[in-house]
């Protein structure tokens, strides 16, 4: 942007100041213009250096390493197959009667493969709930559960306000464990914990946690529910960033293995004039849509438009994206998923 503006300013100043060259011969118009250009170029150099210094977490993720250390030896033991089968049957019966938690995920697609067992994602919340109660019984301890899941199979709402955990959950927990159960959304927990430990979290920090929690909770819907994802995403876009935002999914078909770091570096060269962000959804999964390619990778591109937004700009960026990838990648087919 600064490079573009520098050219515009130089052209404008040369035109508007040209009449002063004869009137004020001692005034160096060229020197004035050069100083303006030099100031802008200095800013550009500083920004380029900041870009170089910015951590590339896909190559050396110190945050992930710290989180891994925090969770070391703090994750519960998984259930064996027999117990998982029992819980799956229990969940099905409870979901039919809309007994919390988890019944809102009854239609969720997908599965996870863990420790040799296939676990359907729709049973995840119920399995978690049983593990929490097992832990409380084993350790004879009260539980504080922090979750960004805001569905009504966990929370009781009244007139749009969150009242607290579903009464069925409190009753079941107390009955089976003889302990107390507390549940918080992340931003609420931060406020309460801040009061207890005299830690002042800024409003910006709490707002950021709230937005990240919301986005991380809703984002995987694309992977699980296919086309249903985009309508949800559209609502999220308007809620968080206003109407001048659009996002689309790029599906790459390729034979060569593409590392996440390579894909990240590739997207940094996008010729976008507007602010944008890129997220890797999947990379190098076996190709299901094309017999000519071995792998598929999905990227999500979100573009934040300024006040000069005009109808049709999203189509322009889609075409630009297709052109860019086809130019940068050999033996690759690019597809825009609506």
């Amino acid at each position: 942007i600064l490079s573009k503006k520098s050219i515009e300013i130089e052209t404008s100043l040369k035109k508007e100041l040209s009449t002063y060259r004869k009137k004020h011969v001692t005034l160096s118009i060229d020197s004035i213009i050069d100083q303006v250009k030099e100031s802008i170029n200095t800013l550009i150099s500083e920004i380029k250096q900041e870009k170089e210094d910015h951590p590339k977490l896909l190559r050396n993720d110190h945050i992930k390493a710290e989180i891994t250390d925090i969770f070391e030896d703090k994750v519960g033991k998984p259930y064996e197959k027999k117990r998982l089968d029992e819980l799956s049957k229990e969940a099905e019966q409870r979901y039919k009667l809309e007994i919390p938690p988890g019944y809102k995920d009854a239609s969720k697609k997908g599965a996870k493969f863990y420790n040799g067992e296939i676990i359907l994602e729709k049973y995840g919340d119920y399995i978690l709930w049983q593990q929490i109660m097992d832990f409380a019984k084993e350790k004879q301890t009260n539980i504080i559960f922090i979750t960004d899941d805001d569905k009504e199979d966990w929370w009781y709402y009244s007139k749009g306000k969150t009242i607290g955990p579903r009464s069925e959950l409190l009753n079941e927990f107390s009955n089976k464990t003889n302990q107390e159960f507390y549940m918080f959304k992340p931003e609420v927990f931060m406020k309460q914990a801040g009061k207890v430990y005299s830690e002042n979290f800024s409003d910006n920090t709490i707002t950021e946690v709230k937005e990240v929690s919301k986005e991380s909770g809703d984002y995987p819907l694309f992977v699980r529910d296919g086309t249903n994802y985009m309508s949800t995403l559209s609502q999220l876009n308007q809620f968080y960033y206003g109407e001048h935002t659009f996002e689309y999914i790029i599906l790459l078909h390729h034979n060569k293995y593409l590392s996440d770091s390579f894909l990240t570096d590739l997207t940094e060269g996008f010729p976008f004039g507007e602010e944008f962000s890129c997220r890797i959804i999947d990379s190098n999964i076996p190709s299901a849509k094309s017999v000519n390619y071995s792998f598929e990778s999905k990227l999500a591109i979100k573009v934040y438009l300024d006040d000069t937004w005009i109808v049709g700009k999203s189509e322009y960026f889609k075409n630009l994206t297709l052109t860019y990838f086809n130019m940068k990648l050999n033996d690759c087919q690019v597809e825009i998923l609506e």
Side-chain angles (χ1 to χ4, degrees):
I1 293 173
L2 287 173
S3 296
K4 183 180 178 182
K5 291 297 181 184
S6 178
I7 296 173
E8 292 177 3
I9 291 172
E10 180 182 3
T11 302
S12 177
L13 287 177
K14 282 183 177 180
K15 180 179 179 181
E16 294 182 32
L17 298 180
S18 61
T19 57
Y20 293 93
R21 290 183 185 274
K22 295 179 180 180
K23 294 180 180 179
H24 305 282
V25 293
T26 59
L27 187 63
S28 177
I29 303 300
D30 292 334
S31 175
I32 293 174
I33 295 174
D34 287 342
Q35 289 181 59
V36 173
K37 288 172 58 180
E38 184 178 347
S39 297
I40 295 176
N41 288 334
T42 299
L43 284 172
I44 292 173
S45 297
E46 291 175 358
I47 292 171
K48 285 183 176 179
Q49 186 58 52
E50 287 187 11
K51 182 179 179 181
E52 286 296 318
D53 295 340
H54 193 77
K56 293 180 172 58
L57 297 181
L58 285 173
R59 297 177 182 173
N60 183 22
D61 193 342
H62 64 279
I63 298 174
K64 182 179 179 180
E66 290 180 24
I67 292 175
T68 301
D69 289 341
I70 291 173
F71 277 88
E72 187 72 26
D73 297 324
K74 295 183 177 67
V75 178
K77 296 179 181 179
Y79 287 134
E80 295 181 354
K81 185 178 187 306
K82 181 180 178 181
R83 181 58 176 150
L84 285 173
D85 290 342
E86 292 173 351
L87 292 177
S88 297
K89 292 178 181 178
E90 290 177 13
E92 279 296 333
Q93 294 300 317
R94 291 172 64 123
Y95 288 4
K96 291 177 182 177
L97 300 173
E98 294 193 350
I99 300 174
Y103 66 82
K104 280 293 184 178
D105 293 333
S107 61
K108 183 185 289 186
K109 308 297 182 183
K112 293 183 178 179
F113 188 72
Y114 185 73
N115 280 6
E117 300 296 336
I118 296 176
I119 304 171
L120 297 183
E121 289 199 21
K122 65 179 181 178
Y123 300 138
D125 283 10
Y126 183 65
I127 293 172
L128 170 64
W129 176 240
Q130 293 299 322
Q131 288 179 319
I132 291 174
M133 290 193 291
D134 286 349
F135 183 85
K137 285 189 289 186
E138 178 186 348
K139 303 295 183 181
Q140 284 297 291
T141 181
N142 301 328
I143 293 292
I144 296 176
F145 179 48
I146 305 169
T147 177
D148 54 18
D149 192 329
D150 60 0
K151 296 191 295 296
E152 63 184 39
D153 56 353
W154 282 103
W155 299 95
Y156 172 61
Y157 293 94
S158 178
K159 297 181 180 179
K161 293 185 177 181
T162 305
I163 305 302
R166 288 281 295 262
S167 58
E168 298 95 325
L169 297 177
L170 297 174
N171 180 270
E172 183 177 12
F173 189 89
S174 175
N175 180 263
K176 291 186 176 180
T177 69
N178 290 319
Q179 303 297 324
E180 296 182 13
F181 178 75
Y182 304 91
M183 190 165 74
F184 295 95
K185 294 181 181 180
E187 67 275 11
V188 178
F189 176 77
M190 288 178 68
K191 291 179 180 179
Q192 298 299 325
K195 294 177 182 177
V196 174
Y197 294 103
S198 300
E199 181 74 36
N200 293 321
F201 296 105
S202 70
D203 291 339
N204 287 339
T205 300
I206 293 175
T207 299
E208 183 179 354
V209 168
K210 184 176 181 180
E211 292 186 359
V212 169
S213 296
K214 178 65 177 175
E215 287 196 316
S216 65
D218 285 324
Y219 197 87
L221 290 175
F222 176 83
V223 181
R224 293 197 290 258
D225 296 330
T227 55
N228 292 338
Y229 172 79
M230 295 308 289
S231 60
T232 303
L233 184 62
S234 175
Q235 295 167 4
L236 280 176
N237 279 344
Q238 293 193 25
F239 181 77
Y240 286 117
Y241 305 107
E243 61 182 11
H244 299 336
T245 307
F246 63 87
E247 182 167 359
Y248 51 91
I249 309 299
I250 303 170
L251 179 61
L252 304 177
H253 304 278
H254 52 97
N255 285 316
K256 181 181 177 182
Y257 182 90
L258 303 178
S259 67
D260 284 3
S261 60
F262 174 82
L263 289 171
T264 300
D265 290 343
L266 185 67
T267 57
E268 288 183 356
F270 272 18
F272 283 180
E274 273 76 3
E275 290 292 322
F276 76 97
S277 62
C278 179
R279 187 193 298 237
I280 299 173
I281 300 177
D282 289 312
S283 60
N284 304 295
I285 63 174
S287 181
K289 299 187 69 176
S290 174
V291 295
N292 299 320
Y293 295 93
S294 302
F295 300 109
E296 292 179 1
S297 297
K298 285 179 188 172
L299 306 177
I301 305 293
K302 178 179 283 185
V303 182
Y304 309 89
L305 301 173
D306 58 23
D307 292 336
T308 63
W309 181 86
I310 57 174
V311 175
K313 217 167 191 181
S314 59
E315 288 302 317
Y316 163 75
F317 280 108
K318 287 182 182 180
N319 293 332
L320 190 63
T321 301
L322 287 173
T323 303
Y324 177 79
F325 271 108
N326 286 323
M327 180 180 65
K328 291 291 184 179
L329 294 174
N330 294 321
D331 190 25
C332 179
Q333 180 184 359
V334 187
E335 182 181 353
I336 299 286
L337 298 182
E338 297 295 343

